[in-house]
Amino acid sequence: VTPPKHNSKSLICAYTTSEFVGRQGLQLAINGDGYRFANESTLLCPEGRDLFDPNSYAASRGTIYSQRMNASRPILYINKNNKISYNKSSGNIYNAISGDRTLVENGNPVAGLDNFTLEPRTAIGTNSNGRWMVMLVVDGRQPGYSEGCTLKELAEMLIKFGGVHDAINLDGGGSSTMVLEKNGEVEVLNSPIEGGIPGNERRVANHIGIEID
């Protein structure tokens, strides 16, 4: 998970998912939690980048830098041995990232998910024993290519195509991005829609990525 700009505060300098992959030497990443602009005049980011405050709980390599907004915000924990758990850490906290709602619980879509609003979406989940992680990004706001999906459709896709047992919804809209490192080059796998421009990446607060040893 993206490390904080300042360990004593829940603040992060904005970077695209592509930049995160390149800076951290990762092989795959998606965007993370939603965020707010930070009102902190004494801290500056390089290159005039915005300073963001993640919406809810986050930790990176043992450093907890953002607290949970409320009990309805799900948290995905990854301990130092890469064991995944939801809402309760397994051992010492190492990496953690939050979503705005749970999509899938015990192999079923959560009741009451919106089935009307089409938007770009990002989600992350795991199978029943936590061995397999599924990252899913759906493009949207691009008529003739993809208009997006509803939260209910997102949950159903996670179950049907990923065999997901538990999953949470991450930040969507113009933030939704999936990036792959391939032969030393960074490749955006989807079509982000920052500023209404297809293919344009948004600088966001945090991300979650995979490093392959």
Side-chain angles (χ1 to χ4, degrees), residues 38-59:
N39 184 21
E40 180 56 79
S41 60
T42 63
L43 302 177
L44 299 176
C45 290
E47 303 165 344
R49 294 173 187 269
D50 291 316
L51 190 66
F52 289 148
D53 185 1
N55 280 345
S56 195
Y57 194 90

Side-chain angles (χ1 to χ4, degrees), residues 8 23 41 44-45 54 75 96 107 119 121 135 148 152 160 168:
S8 62
R23 286 167 58 86
S41 60
L44 299 176
C45 290
I75 305 170
E119 290 287 356
R121 308 285 185 184
M135 295 176 170
K152 185 176 181 181
K160 181 176 181 179
I168 65 174

Side-chain angles (χ1 to χ4, degrees), residues 100-104 108-123 136 138 148-159 167-173:
D100 66 351
R101 73 199 70 208
T102 299
L103 293 169
V104 180
N108 296 300
V110 171
L113 291 174
D114 176 85
N115 198 30
F116 298 97
T117 308
L118 298 174
E119 290 287 356
R121 308 285 185 184
T122 301
L136 178 62
V138 177
C149 72
T150 68
L151 290 170
K152 185 176 181 181
E153 288 172 332
L154 186 64
E156 291 172 345
M157 281 189 281
L158 286 160
I159 296 167
I168 65 174
N169 186 59
L170 299 176
D171 193 23

Side-chain angles (χ1 to χ4, degrees), residues 3 5 16 28 39 81 118 169:
K5 170 64 176 174
T16 66
L28 179 70
N39 184 21
N81 296 319
L118 298 174
N169 186 59

Side-chain angles (χ1 to χ4, degrees), residues 47-80:
E47 303 165 344
R49 294 173 187 269
D50 291 316
L51 190 66
F52 289 148
D53 185 1
N55 280 345
S56 195
Y57 194 90
S60 179
R61 295 175 180 172
T63 299
I64 300 167
Y65 62 89
S66 186
Q67 297 301 317
R68 196 174 193 177
M69 178 185 285
N70 56 56
S72 69
R73 296 268 173 163
I75 305 170
L76 184 147
Y77 292 98
I78 307 174
N79 70 15
K80 203 166 185 178

